[in-house]
Amino acid sequence: MMALPYITEHTGFTGTVYATEPTMQIGRLLMEELVNFIERVPKAQSASLWKNKDIQRLLPSPLKDAVEVSTWRRCYTMQEVNSALSKIQLVGYSQKIELFGAVQVTPLSSGYALGSSNWIIQSHYEKVSYVSGSSLLTTHPQPMDQASLKNSDVLVLTGLTQIPTANPDGMVGEFCSNLALTVRNGGNVLVPCYPSGVIYDLLECLYQYIDSAGLSNIPFYFISPVANSSLEFSQIFAEWLCHNKQSKVYLPEPPFPHAELIQTNKLKHYPSIHGDFSNDFRQPCVVFTGHPSLRFGDVVHFMELWGKSSLNTVIFTEPDFSYLEALAPYQPLAMKCIYCPIDTRLNFIQVSKLLKEVQPLHVVCPEQYTQPPPAQSHRMDLMIDCQPPAMSYRRAEVLALPFKRRYEKIEIMPELADSLVPMEIKPGISLATVSAVLHTKDNKHVLQPPPRPTQPPSSKKRKRVSEDVPDCKVLKPLLSGSIPVEQFVQTLEKHGFSDIKVEDTAKGHIVLLQEAETLIQIEEDSTHIICDNDETLRVRLRDLVLRFLQKF
Amino acid sequence: MDPECSKLLPALCAVLADPRQLVADDTCLEKLLDWFKTVMETESSLHLLQDHPCLMELLSHVLKTQDVSPRVLSFVLRLVGIFAAQEDCFQYLQQGELLLGLFGETGALSWTAWNMPSVRSGWIQGLCSLAHHPSALHFLADSGAVDTIFALQGDPSLFVASAASQLLVHILALAMQGGASGSPISEAAAWPICAQKIVNHVEESLHSKATPQVTQALNVLTTTFGRCHSPWTGVLWGRLSPPVACLFERDPIPAVHSLMDLLLSVARSHVLNFAACGLWEMLAQTLSRLSPTQAGPLALGTLKLQHCPQELRTQAFGVLLQPLACILKATTQAPGPPGLLDGTAGSSLTVDALLSSKSACVGLLCQTLAHLEELQMLPQCPCPWPQVPLLGATVTILRLCDGSVDPSSSMGGRLCGTLGGCVRVQRAALDFLGTLSQGTSPLELVLEVFAVLLKTLESPESSPTVLKKAFQATLRWLQNSHKTPNCSDLSPDALLFLGELFPILQKRLCSPCWEVRDSALEFLTHLIRHWGGQADFREALHSSEVPTLARQLLQDPESYVRASAVGTAGQLSSRGLQATSASPENPLAQQGLLMDLMHILSTDSEGFPRRAVLRVFTEWLRDGHADVIRDTEWFVATVLQAVSRDLDWEVRMQGLELAQVFLIQAMGQPSLHCPYTVGLPEATSPRPHPEFLQTLCRLPLFEFAFCALLDCDRPVAQKACDLLLFLRDKTTHCSGPQEAGDSPNSASVEAVLQRWREGEQGQPLGDLEPEAMLAILRSLDLEGLQGKLAKSSDHVEKSPQSLLQDMLATVGILEENEADCY
């Protein structure tokens, strides 16, 4: 989502973007915060010479190891954000969206965040599921819709947890313990985070925990340009929430307990550290603020403010950044650093359960998921294990999905259907021949009645029109059935043929009419009459053959 | 039988014989049977029947009509069995054809109520009681009962089936006992017919293709060898061991668990010559044939045997070690030091079991670890005990669970995936690790143990139960690591370990999970109790925030945690280690701990923290804690005041305990009624100073004890009684001129006590003189009260007379209801 403006505004994109409402609103907040953070500290100049490869390799690590620096872009502007968002068409879960008649796409709840979706892309006979960041844990969003993913030909699996060894429950426990420990010792806690997502769950955990941990008097500050909108938005997206939270709305109560924290003044939110916050600021306290990379945003001030005291603690909960790299510019640092990444997305155990449940014919996933992480090469459990083995892809690789399109659905116009006379050739199987015009538009195929036989041209104009109409030949009937050789020979004899000889071949029989120097080759799906330029004889024999076959 | 019961018996028999009278409560009939059994122990059943014709009438009535409820039928069958256990009574009953009528083929078997499991069970139990003399054996043989018992072995009711098997064993033993009265019978062919019949049946069943029948036969044999230790059992085994051995040749082996039970039961028997009867070979064969999971319990059972060839012990121990050997092999990179087992026999089976599925792997490892843990604590523990490889394997298992092993083989990789985060295995491994602390281990392994314990305690992934086990194991390793004689000090390595442990403990004390906070506090309390006096430990503890955090948990919302925090704070304070810094947020912390605990005692809504406070206070009083001895009288008075109002009986009990400690400190130990001390001069028990008695009145300890004496909870009253007896003993020489009842003061006390007895306990005794108290003390029949309290609360209701009355009364009530309906 954060890259959307780069796609829609810089690539000549002219299409439509489909997204759920919370995705768009929260995406807007996240981008707004980013733009705000960046624009707060405008740069008079931007250096670009270092991107020269010869210079780059002389730079210290990690700069010299950065890849494709030439493609790095400046941050987009709010105008570009708005323009990108204007291309979004909002959709709801389970809504079916037709794309050019070729496929139908449907978003399903993925259980990871408010409005987060997995997608089903299906035609009449094929179904591809695209599973991105999903969660089976009971957190705030609607639970993941697994049932709709069943019967997929292909399941594309992406967005698994970045920290497969860290169990979110354990990490939340760790987060709470370290927070309480620091505050009880008189220190402050800094939580670098995004303004939406896990923070809602963290606030909920703290809501339950602060009283029991004796932290009722400790202020919690949430500082972000979009803090207020984020907290309020979360409360109004009732239909996107899990069942428990939805039912609260009917009481009516706010679905998230952070409303109560705000009411009781335990949680205060500010757009930035300037203004009201500097008046209210009281220590020891807990501060939630961005950006989790520690490179910009209000978090930088707190790192500078609290970094020198070992009483304070910074707790990393976002898994997107290496905390060691994030901290590198602040070293030496006296404050304690705790890394408890909370990533609720699917881990490999959950994936294997999901695949057992959903049973797709094929699984397609990034190459990284098909082998254990390089740092833990022995952990055979940290990879996707499924049968048949998952098909993997690399970045920018174009993949042919492992299925063939065998059928297309074609509609028959009612008047044409009305004219058909099916004939039962086997019990339960009826056939009818159709003469029609196949009309294809927007990937939809319709059989229409053939045009009426051409009227004799009455004028030049009419004639020209009739030229467009396809030439309809008189159709020969289709034949079915098989020819019983003995009876056929008897019939031939009855009709005056003598000296008939029958030879068995691998595929059928050859009936030799030696006298007439004629040969009838009878095979399972063809019959050939070979006679020497005697058309009358051929027609006679043909009619005898046709007697044994059904026509329709 | 006492005359009162004799009088009630006819009415009761009439009730039982009347089908309209429902005996609603089965337990009454059970109690009635128990009572008859007790009566039969001292009286002749024949006389009883003759003296009480109503009993015979009841039996005859049932025999004739069977129109009573199934439970009464069952009761009657069992009752007759009890009567017929005495041979003369048996003859008497048999003359009246009663026995055959009830137990014969035309008896209970032909009744419609035979469909009820309770009746079949009554039939079996009746026979079981009856089969106590040779006449009974003849009866069983003639009546065809044995065949019925064979059939009942496969009864759909498990109780009936099991009782039938037991009865068979009982009859077999009786037959052989009778038969063996002369010389021991070595030839099975010469056995009594009844015994032969049973043995033949068992033998046939062993040959059967149906597993249930084989199981029945094996169960009968297992019970026989477990119960009978006469020489004939050797002959029995000699005859039946070949069909048993044949069972091992079948594929799959039927009734594996019953087979193993049988082998172990036979092996535990003292009469068999095992070498001659081939039992050891059979055990050895079985151990090698069974799957690792099946063989585990058999191996443990074998190792527990007193007399067992060393070779077999080695094999059995090998079975138990095999899974751990596989673990070591799968995770060790170099061949390294010699492992658990040199041979690889059977290892492929174990590897298969470990890799087949997660549940199989977890099950096998948990079972193995539990078996080895049990074995290490037994006197039969194999020697030499492979301490080093076992410790290595256990540490490896824990590392596989936390994902920190870098396995060298693909099997190791698979194990890593299977065991990652497996709580069951972690718990079992930590338990065994704790037990292994008893052995001597090389330093580098001890350090590895400390490292893996630290990792487990630190890991956010560790579940509360795993943490609890890890704390327990840590404590054991700290206690046992590098023990030097006459020195309980911590080793330098242990101190280094503690340095790393305390920060983790700090975090655990702040855990959002109350179970974790609780186990961390318990662990801390143990640590302080053991090493609170050691300077290095004190320094390490003081340099951490642990004492402060522990103190803060006195206000935890969870009562269990508060209780543990009370214990920890008490222990810290006893050792002079209490937290010094008081946080401004916590007003309580600014006062002394004593006041905090007093506050909890008087205000906490849950019983656990209050009980914990009293335990701490009692310990403080006993040990002369500075805060207590500063003003002991005030301390005891305040505590007693709070406790006397407490609703929790355990708190009141603890209060009495504290009072007792206080009294003992002032008055000396209670005099011992020990025969060896008779000749010794009376210990210099100080006569209580009159002022002390004044103090007791003022506290008011007397009032508290008297009040507790009438406590509705019996243990409290008992304790109070003991306390008052102690007080009375110590004050015998303090008798004043006044006798009980002489002073108006003591009269008012008596009056108050009387009212208390009547349930009005609100009124205090008021200010009383010691003399009055002593007078009351002497006037009370404390010994009598002690005797009464020692009996269970229902001793009055338990008498047979009361039982009979109750049964009649219940029926009477039913009658009334019936009358009401009209």
Side-chain angles (χ1 to χ4, degrees), chain A residues 185-210:
Chain A
N185 289 333
N188 301 291
V189 177
L190 178 62
V191 187
C193 62
Y194 292 117
S196 171
V198 175
I199 188 172
Y200 302 138
D201 295 315
L202 283 181
L203 288 175
E204 186 156 357
C205 287
L206 287 171
Y207 169 79
Q208 290 160 359
Y209 178 62
I210 49 178

PDB file of all heavy atoms in Angstrom, chain A residues 185-210:
ATOM      1  N   ASN A 185      10.966   0.681  37.821  1.00  0.00           N
ATOM      2  CA  ASN A 185      12.263   1.171  38.261  1.00  0.00           C
ATOM      3  C   ASN A 185      12.438   2.653  37.972  1.00  0.00           C
ATOM      4  O   ASN A 185      13.530   3.190  38.070  1.00  0.00           O
ATOM      5  CB  ASN A 185      13.380   0.384  37.578  1.00  0.00           C
ATOM      6  CG  ASN A 185      13.453  -1.025  38.117  1.00  0.00           C
ATOM      7  OD1 ASN A 185      13.077  -1.269  39.259  1.00  0.00           O
ATOM      8  ND2 ASN A 185      13.904  -1.949  37.297  1.00  0.00           N
ATOM      9  N   GLY A 186      11.341   3.305  37.583  1.00  0.00           N
ATOM     10  CA  GLY A 186      11.397   4.747  37.359  1.00  0.00           C
ATOM     11  C   GLY A 186      11.855   5.140  35.970  1.00  0.00           C
ATOM     12  O   GLY A 186      12.142   6.316  35.717  1.00  0.00           O
ATOM     13  N   GLY A 187      11.969   4.212  35.046  1.00  0.00           N
ATOM     14  CA  GLY A 187      12.418   4.539  33.696  1.00  0.00           C
ATOM     15  C   GLY A 187      11.260   4.786  32.746  1.00  0.00           C
ATOM     16  O   GLY A 187      10.099   4.558  33.088  1.00  0.00           O
ATOM     17  N   ASN A 188      11.592   5.297  31.547  1.00  0.00           N
ATOM     18  CA  ASN A 188      10.590   5.531  30.512  1.00  0.00           C
ATOM     19  C   ASN A 188      10.681   4.448  29.451  1.00  0.00           C
ATOM     20  O   ASN A 188      11.742   3.868  29.230  1.00  0.00           O
ATOM     21  CB  ASN A 188      10.837   6.884  29.838  1.00  0.00           C
ATOM     22  CG  ASN A 188      10.784   8.009  30.844  1.00  0.00           C
ATOM     23  OD1 ASN A 188       9.745   8.334  31.393  1.00  0.00           O
ATOM     24  ND2 ASN A 188      11.954   8.601  31.111  1.00  0.00           N
ATOM     25  N   VAL A 189       9.558   4.228  28.787  1.00  0.00           N
ATOM     26  CA  VAL A 189       9.543   3.215  27.735  1.00  0.00           C
ATOM     27  C   VAL A 189       9.191   3.875  26.411  1.00  0.00           C
ATOM     28  O   VAL A 189       8.234   4.645  26.332  1.00  0.00           O
ATOM     29  CB  VAL A 189       8.512   2.106  28.055  1.00  0.00           C
ATOM     30  CG1 VAL A 189       8.446   1.104  26.917  1.00  0.00           C
ATOM     31  CG2 VAL A 189       8.870   1.408  29.350  1.00  0.00           C
ATOM     32  N   LEU A 190       9.977   3.560  25.393  1.00  0.00           N
ATOM     33  CA  LEU A 190       9.718   4.098  24.058  1.00  0.00           C
ATOM     34  C   LEU A 190       9.363   2.926  23.148  1.00  0.00           C
ATOM     35  O   LEU A 190      10.089   1.938  23.090  1.00  0.00           O
ATOM     36  CB  LEU A 190      10.975   4.800  23.548  1.00  0.00           C
ATOM     37  CG  LEU A 190      10.905   5.381  22.140  1.00  0.00           C
ATOM     38  CD1 LEU A 190       9.827   6.465  22.044  1.00  0.00           C
ATOM     39  CD2 LEU A 190      12.259   5.991  21.742  1.00  0.00           C
ATOM     40  N   VAL A 191       8.227   3.062  22.466  1.00  0.00           N
ATOM     41  CA  VAL A 191       7.814   1.998  21.555  1.00  0.00           C
ATOM     42  C   VAL A 191       7.719   2.583  20.145  1.00  0.00           C
ATOM     43  O   VAL A 191       6.744   3.247  19.812  1.00  0.00           O
ATOM     44  CB  VAL A 191       6.445   1.405  21.968  1.00  0.00           C
ATOM     45  CG1 VAL A 191       6.121   0.180  21.116  1.00  0.00           C
ATOM     46  CG2 VAL A 191       6.420   1.054  23.443  1.00  0.00           C
ATOM     47  N   PRO A 192       8.745   2.374  19.307  1.00  0.00           N
ATOM     48  CA  PRO A 192       8.664   2.875  17.936  1.00  0.00           C
ATOM     49  C   PRO A 192       7.657   2.031  17.163  1.00  0.00           C
ATOM     50  O   PRO A 192       7.782   0.813  17.132  1.00  0.00           O
ATOM     51  CB  PRO A 192      10.077   2.651  17.379  1.00  0.00           C
ATOM     52  CG  PRO A 192      10.921   2.277  18.554  1.00  0.00           C
ATOM     53  CD  PRO A 192      10.014   1.685  19.569  1.00  0.00           C
ATOM     54  N   CYS A 193       6.648   2.671  16.588  1.00  0.00           N
ATOM     55  CA  CYS A 193       5.617   1.852  15.944  1.00  0.00           C
ATOM     56  C   CYS A 193       4.906   2.623  14.842  1.00  0.00           C
ATOM     57  O   CYS A 193       5.054   3.837  14.714  1.00  0.00           O
ATOM     58  CB  CYS A 193       4.600   1.402  16.979  1.00  0.00           C
ATOM     59  SG  CYS A 193       3.745   2.763  17.739  1.00  0.00           S
ATOM     60  N   TYR A 194       4.141   1.894  14.038  1.00  0.00           N
ATOM     61  CA  TYR A 194       3.266   2.510  13.044  1.00  0.00           C
ATOM     62  C   TYR A 194       2.012   2.997  13.757  1.00  0.00           C
ATOM     63  O   TYR A 194       1.664   2.478  14.829  1.00  0.00           O
ATOM     64  CB  TYR A 194       2.875   1.487  11.981  1.00  0.00           C
ATOM     65  CG  TYR A 194       4.009   1.051  11.097  1.00  0.00           C
ATOM     66  CD1 TYR A 194       4.433  -0.285  11.093  1.00  0.00           C
ATOM     67  CD2 TYR A 194       4.646   1.958  10.262  1.00  0.00           C
ATOM     68  CE1 TYR A 194       5.480  -0.691  10.271  1.00  0.00           C
ATOM     69  CE2 TYR A 194       5.694   1.556   9.438  1.00  0.00           C
ATOM     70  CZ  TYR A 194       6.106   0.236   9.446  1.00  0.00           C
ATOM     71  OH  TYR A 194       7.128  -0.166   8.648  1.00  0.00           O
ATOM     72  N   PRO A 195       1.306   3.953  13.156  1.00  0.00           N
ATOM     73  CA  PRO A 195       0.138   4.490  13.878  1.00  0.00           C
ATOM     74  C   PRO A 195      -1.096   3.594  13.815  1.00  0.00           C
ATOM     75  O   PRO A 195      -2.133   3.946  14.361  1.00  0.00           O
ATOM     76  CB  PRO A 195      -0.120   5.817  13.165  1.00  0.00           C
ATOM     77  CG  PRO A 195       0.402   5.626  11.802  1.00  0.00           C
ATOM     78  CD  PRO A 195       1.571   4.689  11.920  1.00  0.00           C
ATOM     79  N   SER A 196      -0.998   2.459  13.139  1.00  0.00           N
ATOM     80  CA  SER A 196      -2.166   1.582  13.058  1.00  0.00           C
ATOM     81  C   SER A 196      -1.671   0.141  13.041  1.00  0.00           C
ATOM     82  O   SER A 196      -0.510  -0.124  12.760  1.00  0.00           O
ATOM     83  CB  SER A 196      -2.946   1.884  11.771  1.00  0.00           C
ATOM     84  OG  SER A 196      -3.942   0.914  11.587  1.00  0.00           O
ATOM     85  N   GLY A 197      -2.549  -0.791  13.359  1.00  0.00           N
ATOM     86  CA  GLY A 197      -2.178  -2.212  13.306  1.00  0.00           C
ATOM     87  C   GLY A 197      -1.974  -2.795  14.686  1.00  0.00           C
ATOM     88  O   GLY A 197      -2.868  -2.717  15.536  1.00  0.00           O
ATOM     89  N   VAL A 198      -0.765  -3.331  14.913  1.00  0.00           N
ATOM     90  CA  VAL A 198      -0.493  -4.015  16.182  1.00  0.00           C
ATOM     91  C   VAL A 198      -0.724  -3.107  17.383  1.00  0.00           C
ATOM     92  O   VAL A 198      -1.066  -3.572  18.462  1.00  0.00           O
ATOM     93  CB  VAL A 198       0.962  -4.549  16.179  1.00  0.00           C
ATOM     94  CG1 VAL A 198       1.317  -5.156  17.514  1.00  0.00           C
ATOM     95  CG2 VAL A 198       1.118  -5.598  15.094  1.00  0.00           C
ATOM     96  N   ILE A 199      -0.572  -1.802  17.169  1.00  0.00           N
ATOM     97  CA  ILE A 199      -0.732  -0.880  18.305  1.00  0.00           C
ATOM     98  C   ILE A 199      -2.109  -1.040  18.960  1.00  0.00           C
ATOM     99  O   ILE A 199      -2.245  -0.948  20.179  1.00  0.00           O
ATOM    100  CB  ILE A 199      -0.477   0.592  17.890  1.00  0.00           C
ATOM    101  CG1 ILE A 199      -0.467   1.460  19.141  1.00  0.00           C
ATOM    102  CG2 ILE A 199      -1.490   1.076  16.873  1.00  0.00           C
ATOM    103  CD1 ILE A 199      -0.045   2.873  18.935  1.00  0.00           C
ATOM    104  N   TYR A 200      -3.137  -1.339  18.150  1.00  0.00           N
ATOM    105  CA  TYR A 200      -4.477  -1.515  18.738  1.00  0.00           C
ATOM    106  C   TYR A 200      -4.460  -2.696  19.712  1.00  0.00           C
ATOM    107  O   TYR A 200      -5.039  -2.637  20.800  1.00  0.00           O
ATOM    108  CB  TYR A 200      -5.526  -1.790  17.662  1.00  0.00           C
ATOM    109  CG  TYR A 200      -5.646  -0.718  16.593  1.00  0.00           C
ATOM    110  CD1 TYR A 200      -5.801  -1.078  15.260  1.00  0.00           C
ATOM    111  CD2 TYR A 200      -5.627   0.637  16.917  1.00  0.00           C
ATOM    112  CE1 TYR A 200      -5.911  -0.119  14.271  1.00  0.00           C
ATOM    113  CE2 TYR A 200      -5.741   1.596  15.932  1.00  0.00           C
ATOM    114  CZ  TYR A 200      -5.880   1.227  14.605  1.00  0.00           C
ATOM    115  OH  TYR A 200      -5.989   2.174  13.634  1.00  0.00           O
ATOM    116  N   ASP A 201      -3.804  -3.789  19.299  1.00  0.00           N
ATOM    117  CA  ASP A 201      -3.759  -4.966  20.180  1.00  0.00           C
ATOM    118  C   ASP A 201      -2.884  -4.700  21.406  1.00  0.00           C
ATOM    119  O   ASP A 201      -3.205  -5.134  22.508  1.00  0.00           O
ATOM    120  CB  ASP A 201      -3.218  -6.182  19.413  1.00  0.00           C
ATOM    121  CG  ASP A 201      -4.159  -6.604  18.302  1.00  0.00           C
ATOM    122  OD1 ASP A 201      -5.375  -6.668  18.563  1.00  0.00           O
ATOM    123  OD2 ASP A 201      -3.689  -6.842  17.186  1.00  0.00           O
ATOM    124  N   LEU A 202      -1.786  -3.973  21.182  1.00  0.00           N
ATOM    125  CA  LEU A 202      -0.906  -3.667  22.318  1.00  0.00           C
ATOM    126  C   LEU A 202      -1.648  -2.832  23.349  1.00  0.00           C
ATOM    127  O   LEU A 202      -1.572  -3.092  24.554  1.00  0.00           O
ATOM    128  CB  LEU A 202       0.322  -2.895  21.843  1.00  0.00           C
ATOM    129  CG  LEU A 202       1.402  -3.718  21.152  1.00  0.00           C
ATOM    130  CD1 LEU A 202       2.565  -2.814  20.758  1.00  0.00           C
ATOM    131  CD2 LEU A 202       1.900  -4.820  22.077  1.00  0.00           C
ATOM    132  N   LEU A 203      -2.399  -1.837  22.866  1.00  0.00           N
ATOM    133  CA  LEU A 203      -3.147  -0.991  23.803  1.00  0.00           C
ATOM    134  C   LEU A 203      -4.187  -1.822  24.551  1.00  0.00           C
ATOM    135  O   LEU A 203      -4.436  -1.614  25.734  1.00  0.00           O
ATOM    136  CB  LEU A 203      -3.818   0.165  23.063  1.00  0.00           C
ATOM    137  CG  LEU A 203      -2.858   1.256  22.554  1.00  0.00           C
ATOM    138  CD1 LEU A 203      -3.598   2.294  21.726  1.00  0.00           C
ATOM    139  CD2 LEU A 203      -2.148   1.934  23.721  1.00  0.00           C
ATOM    140  N   GLU A 204      -4.754  -2.792  23.836  1.00  0.00           N
ATOM    141  CA  GLU A 204      -5.756  -3.633  24.489  1.00  0.00           C
ATOM    142  C   GLU A 204      -5.103  -4.500  25.577  1.00  0.00           C
ATOM    143  O   GLU A 204      -5.643  -4.655  26.666  1.00  0.00           O
ATOM    144  CB  GLU A 204      -6.458  -4.514  23.452  1.00  0.00           C
ATOM    145  CG  GLU A 204      -7.588  -5.302  24.048  1.00  0.00           C
ATOM    146  CD  GLU A 204      -8.638  -5.714  23.029  1.00  0.00           C
ATOM    147  OE1 GLU A 204      -8.511  -5.328  21.850  1.00  0.00           O
ATOM    148  OE2 GLU A 204      -9.567  -6.419  23.432  1.00  0.00           O
ATOM    149  N   CYS A 205      -3.940  -5.070  25.265  1.00  0.00           N
ATOM    150  CA  CYS A 205      -3.227  -5.871  26.263  1.00  0.00           C
ATOM    151  C   CYS A 205      -2.876  -5.013  27.465  1.00  0.00           C
ATOM    152  O   CYS A 205      -3.043  -5.418  28.616  1.00  0.00           O
ATOM    153  CB  CYS A 205      -1.936  -6.427  25.688  1.00  0.00           C
ATOM    154  SG  CYS A 205      -2.230  -7.735  24.555  1.00  0.00           S
ATOM    155  N   LEU A 206      -2.387  -3.807  27.166  1.00  0.00           N
ATOM    156  CA  LEU A 206      -1.987  -2.942  28.278  1.00  0.00           C
ATOM    157  C   LEU A 206      -3.197  -2.545  29.107  1.00  0.00           C
ATOM    158  O   LEU A 206      -3.110  -2.434  30.329  1.00  0.00           O
ATOM    159  CB  LEU A 206      -1.283  -1.694  27.737  1.00  0.00           C
ATOM    160  CG  LEU A 206       0.122  -1.975  27.205  1.00  0.00           C
ATOM    161  CD1 LEU A 206       0.680  -0.760  26.489  1.00  0.00           C
ATOM    162  CD2 LEU A 206       1.047  -2.371  28.353  1.00  0.00           C
ATOM    163  N   TYR A 207      -4.318  -2.370  28.443  1.00  0.00           N
ATOM    164  CA  TYR A 207      -5.542  -2.009  29.159  1.00  0.00           C
ATOM    165  C   TYR A 207      -5.822  -3.063  30.236  1.00  0.00           C
ATOM    166  O   TYR A 207      -6.187  -2.740  31.369  1.00  0.00           O
ATOM    167  CB  TYR A 207      -6.696  -1.923  28.163  1.00  0.00           C
ATOM    168  CG  TYR A 207      -8.067  -1.823  28.791  1.00  0.00           C
ATOM    169  CD1 TYR A 207      -8.522  -0.611  29.292  1.00  0.00           C
ATOM    170  CD2 TYR A 207      -8.887  -2.935  28.883  1.00  0.00           C
ATOM    171  CE1 TYR A 207      -9.766  -0.520  29.872  1.00  0.00           C
ATOM    172  CE2 TYR A 207     -10.132  -2.854  29.460  1.00  0.00           C
ATOM    173  CZ  TYR A 207     -10.570  -1.643  29.954  1.00  0.00           C
ATOM    174  OH  TYR A 207     -11.808  -1.552  30.536  1.00  0.00           O
ATOM    175  N   GLN A 208      -5.642  -4.337  29.850  1.00  0.00           N
ATOM    176  CA  GLN A 208      -5.907  -5.408  30.819  1.00  0.00           C
ATOM    177  C   GLN A 208      -4.789  -5.515  31.851  1.00  0.00           C
ATOM    178  O   GLN A 208      -4.988  -6.013  32.946  1.00  0.00           O
ATOM    179  CB  GLN A 208      -6.023  -6.749  30.086  1.00  0.00           C
ATOM    180  CG  GLN A 208      -7.266  -6.838  29.250  1.00  0.00           C
ATOM    181  CD  GLN A 208      -7.155  -7.904  28.177  1.00  0.00           C
ATOM    182  OE1 GLN A 208      -6.142  -8.580  28.041  1.00  0.00           O
ATOM    183  NE2 GLN A 208      -8.197  -8.050  27.389  1.00  0.00           N
ATOM    184  N   TYR A 209      -3.603  -5.086  31.471  1.00  0.00           N
ATOM    185  CA  TYR A 209      -2.426  -5.373  32.283  1.00  0.00           C
ATOM    186  C   TYR A 209      -2.068  -4.255  33.256  1.00  0.00           C
ATOM    187  O   TYR A 209      -1.572  -4.528  34.346  1.00  0.00           O
ATOM    188  CB  TYR A 209      -1.268  -5.659  31.336  1.00  0.00           C
ATOM    189  CG  TYR A 209       0.063  -5.929  31.993  1.00  0.00           C
ATOM    190  CD1 TYR A 209       0.227  -7.024  32.838  1.00  0.00           C
ATOM    191  CD2 TYR A 209       1.153  -5.108  31.766  1.00  0.00           C
ATOM    192  CE1 TYR A 209       1.441  -7.280  33.436  1.00  0.00           C
ATOM    193  CE2 TYR A 209       2.367  -5.360  32.362  1.00  0.00           C
ATOM    194  CZ  TYR A 209       2.511  -6.447  33.189  1.00  0.00           C
ATOM    195  OH  TYR A 209       3.714  -6.708  33.784  1.00  0.00           O
ATOM    196  N   ILE A 210      -2.348  -3.003  32.876  1.00  0.00           N
ATOM    197  CA  ILE A 210      -1.778  -1.907  33.673  1.00  0.00           C
ATOM    198  C   ILE A 210      -2.285  -1.903  35.113  1.00  0.00           C
ATOM    199  O   ILE A 210      -1.524  -1.629  36.026  1.00  0.00           O
ATOM    200  CB  ILE A 210      -1.957  -0.503  33.037  1.00  0.00           C
ATOM    201  CG1 ILE A 210      -3.392  -0.289  32.619  1.00  0.00           C
ATOM    202  CG2 ILE A 210      -1.010  -0.280  31.917  1.00  0.00           C
ATOM    203  CD1 ILE A 210      -3.623   1.110  32.039  1.00  0.00           C
TER     204      ILE A 210
END
